[in-house]
Amino acid sequence: MADSGGEPLAGCHVWVVLQPDSLKKQFTVSDNNGAFTLEKLEQGNYGIGISAIGFSDYAGRLFLQTSIDIGTVTLQESTTALDEVTVTASMVKRFADKREYKLTQDEKNRYGSALAALESLPKVQVIDQTVTAIDGKAVKILINGIPSTPVDLSVIPPDDIAKIDYYTQPPVRYANMGLGAVINVITKAKQTGGSLALNTQNALTTGFGNNVVDFNYNHGRSQIGVKYNINYRDYHKRVLDEQLAYTIGGKAYDKQKSGENSPYAYEQHLAELRFNHTKTDDYLLSAKLSLGALNRRRSSTQRISATTDGTRIEQSGRSSDKDNYLSPVMDLYFSKLFHDKHEIVMNVVGTYYKSGYDYDYTEAQDDIATFQTATHIHTHKYSLIGEA
């Protein structure tokens, strides 16, 4: 990127969106030479956007096959008055350990949720209700200092955000977790009363959906909340192709397996009940009871062309595997500040995890089974973890 005078522009926000699947996005920032690179993009048509403070936004389209160099993009200086640009720039404050972001009203209007608003942060990408750093590392999400998830952010309106604390170097508490960043979303003070939020994404023709409903009630320093999240997939065009070549007892075997359209489906549920009691810059008590569940089914039908020492036979193959889990979790969290320089943090998490996996595979010739295998694993575990 460069300005109208040809000078490189560093720190430009660049993002690409696969069309028409707007959930597949990547984000990066230009370096000191105005250059940027996005990797591991699949082939297809993309929309590309570039923005920088003091310049008009750039929007375009491109088609990607293997790799592409878009050349130099020249950004035009914005006609926005200087005092308005200064206001935008003042929305970011830098501290020794973090950056503090406050959204402008334009940004609040642009994004549909606090989750989407994280796209405004440098080196952060939001894809399908997940948040990661552009280098692939995980990002820790906090809401008012409470460990949370991207789904929790998806039901918070941008207007409720007071500020976003962005730690590119995670605080000591999280230093050993291999994180790319820690993001703490601070919400505005709540008034007594309740709110109901719904975030829904559904593509009925392809059997795809992410849905969240969230209810909160605030009274004084206390808040109680109930949330239910369901993600589902249901389609019938899963194709599994395989090629196997091996030798047993001196005999050479070769198998070409051509898959046919087969079903794939799952439902993932999360129900949650939470209670928070807090006093700003003093203490925080959080209790959360959640119940997660998954039920996934998939199968494959294949045409098999098998060759053994030059002898060729035609077979059919069928596989079926199912996996599921059920996991209730109790999470208790407490933090207390002392004289602005000391803090005590305690966290206790109790978990029960029950899972099952069933797999069956059969090869047949003229409806007579020639090979069969099966795997069945069912287990459950308990854990109680505390730290201070």
Side-chain angles (χ1 to χ4, degrees):
M1 268 80 66
D3 60 18
S4 55
E7 292 297 320
L9 291 175
C12 298
H13 292 194
V14 184
W15 63 94
V16 295
V17 183
L18 182 63
Q19 305 292 341
D21 189 353
S22 61
L23 293 176
K24 294 186 177 180
K25 305 177 184 178
Q26 279 208 37
F27 174 87
T28 189
V29 177
S30 62
D31 60 22
N32 291 333
N33 297 317
F36 70 91
T37 302
L38 290 168
E39 299 179 344
K40 298 181 180 179
L41 295 173
E42 61 184 77
Q43 178 177 308
N45 291 298
Y46 285 84
I48 179 172
I50 303 172
S51 65
I53 294 175
F55 293 84
S56 298
D57 291 349
Y58 169 86
R61 294 183 180 278
L62 58 89
F63 176 73
L64 177 67
Q65 286 184 308
T66 55
S67 63
I68 189 171
D69 183 350
I70 66 172
T72 300
V73 176
T74 300
L75 299 184
Q76 301 299 320
E77 283 78 2
S78 175
T79 56
T80 305
L82 181 60
D83 58 346
E84 293 182 39
V85 174
T86 301
V87 170
T88 301
S90 69
M91 295 294 106
V92 182
K93 293 183 179 180
R94 298 173 184 268
F95 298 87
D97 60 339
K98 67 181 180 181
R99 294 181 184 179
E100 179 186 286
Y101 289 81
K102 291 186 178 179
L103 300 181
T104 65
Q105 192 56 50
D106 285 343
E107 288 173 323
K108 291 179 180 179
N109 294 337
R110 184 189 313 165
Y111 300 111
S113 67
L115 176 60
L118 297 189
E119 295 177 357
S120 64
L121 301 179
K123 300 184 180 180
V124 171
Q125 56 185 4
V126 181
I127 302 175
D128 193 17
Q129 292 191 330
T130 62
V131 181
T132 59
I134 59 173
D135 59 5
K137 291 184 178 180
V139 173
K140 182 72 173 179
I141 298 296
L142 309 175
I143 299 177
N144 298 322
I146 303 172
S148 304
T149 68
V151 173
D152 297 324
L153 290 177
S154 71
V155 290
I156 296 179
D159 281 335
D160 284 353
I161 299 176
K163 64 176 182 176
I164 301 174
D165 288 337
Y166 178 43
Y167 301 83
T168 53
Q169 296 296 325
V172 174
R173 275 176 57 203
Y174 308 107
N176 63 345
M177 298 175 66
L179 299 172
V182 173
I183 297 174
N184 186 19
V185 177
I186 309 299
T187 60
K188 295 178 180 178
K190 298 293 185 180
Q191 305 297 321
T192 297
S195 64
L196 179 66
L198 174 66
N199 186 312
T200 179
Q201 298 175 326
N202 293 278
L204 299 181
T205 56
T206 55
F208 167 98
N210 299 316
N211 300 282
V212 188
V213 60
D214 187 84
F215 173 76
N216 288 290
Y217 185 80
N218 306 287
H219 183 78
R221 297 175 181 170
S222 300
Q223 179 188 74
I224 188 169
V226 180
K227 180 180 71 177
Y228 174 66
N229 173 216
I230 177 172
N231 300 325
Y232 69 87
R233 304 291 185 269
D234 187 6
Y235 54 92
H236 299 271
K237 294 186 178 181
R238 177 177 184 259
V239 175
L240 180 62
D241 295 327
E242 295 177 292
Q243 180 178 358
L244 304 176
Y246 52 92
T247 301
I248 299 177
K251 288 187 177 181
Y253 297 84
D254 182 85
K255 288 186 178 180
Q256 302 285 339
K257 300 183 179 182
S258 300
E260 299 178 349
N261 288 344
S262 303
Y264 173 84
Y266 75 78
E267 300 86 35
Q268 188 174 26
H269 306 266
L270 176 64
E272 186 176 280
L273 175 65
R274 60 187 180 273
F275 171 80
N276 301 324
H277 187 74
T278 181
K279 183 179 180 181
T280 304
D281 297 326
D282 188 356
Y283 64 85
L284 166 65
L285 172 65
S286 171
K288 181 167 63 177
L289 175 63
S290 59
L291 178 65
L294 170 73
N295 181 25
R296 177 163 45 201
R297 297 88 60 202
R298 55 201 160 197
S299 63
S300 293
T301 301
Q302 297 171 309
R303 299 185 308 276
I304 303 174
S305 179
T307 303
T308 304
D309 280 349
T311 303
R312 185 186 182 95
I313 59 173
E314 299 296 327
Q315 297 177 302
S316 63
R318 293 182 180 274
S319 66
S320 171
D321 61 312
K322 303 177 182 179
D323 60 291
N324 59 78
Y325 70 74
L326 180 69
S327 179
V329 178
M330 171 62 81
D331 189 336
L332 301 175
Y333 178 88
F334 177 77
S335 66
K336 170 70 175 175
L337 289 171
F338 298 94
H339 309 298
D340 297 330
K341 292 186 178 181
H342 304 278
E343 180 182 17
I344 183 171
V345 176
M346 293 181 289
N347 194 197
V348 178
V349 180
T351 301
Y352 172 69
Y353 190 83
K354 179 181 179 180
S355 64
Y357 177 73
D358 297 279
Y359 173 78
D360 294 279
Y361 177 73
T362 300
E363 292 181 3
Q365 183 179 9
D366 298 328
D367 295 326
I368 299 175
T370 57
F371 176 79
Q372 289 180 310
T373 185
T375 303
H376 301 284
I377 303 172
H378 294 265
T379 186
H380 63 94
K381 294 183 177 181
Y382 302 86
S383 71
L384 182 64
I385 301 173
E387 66 175 0

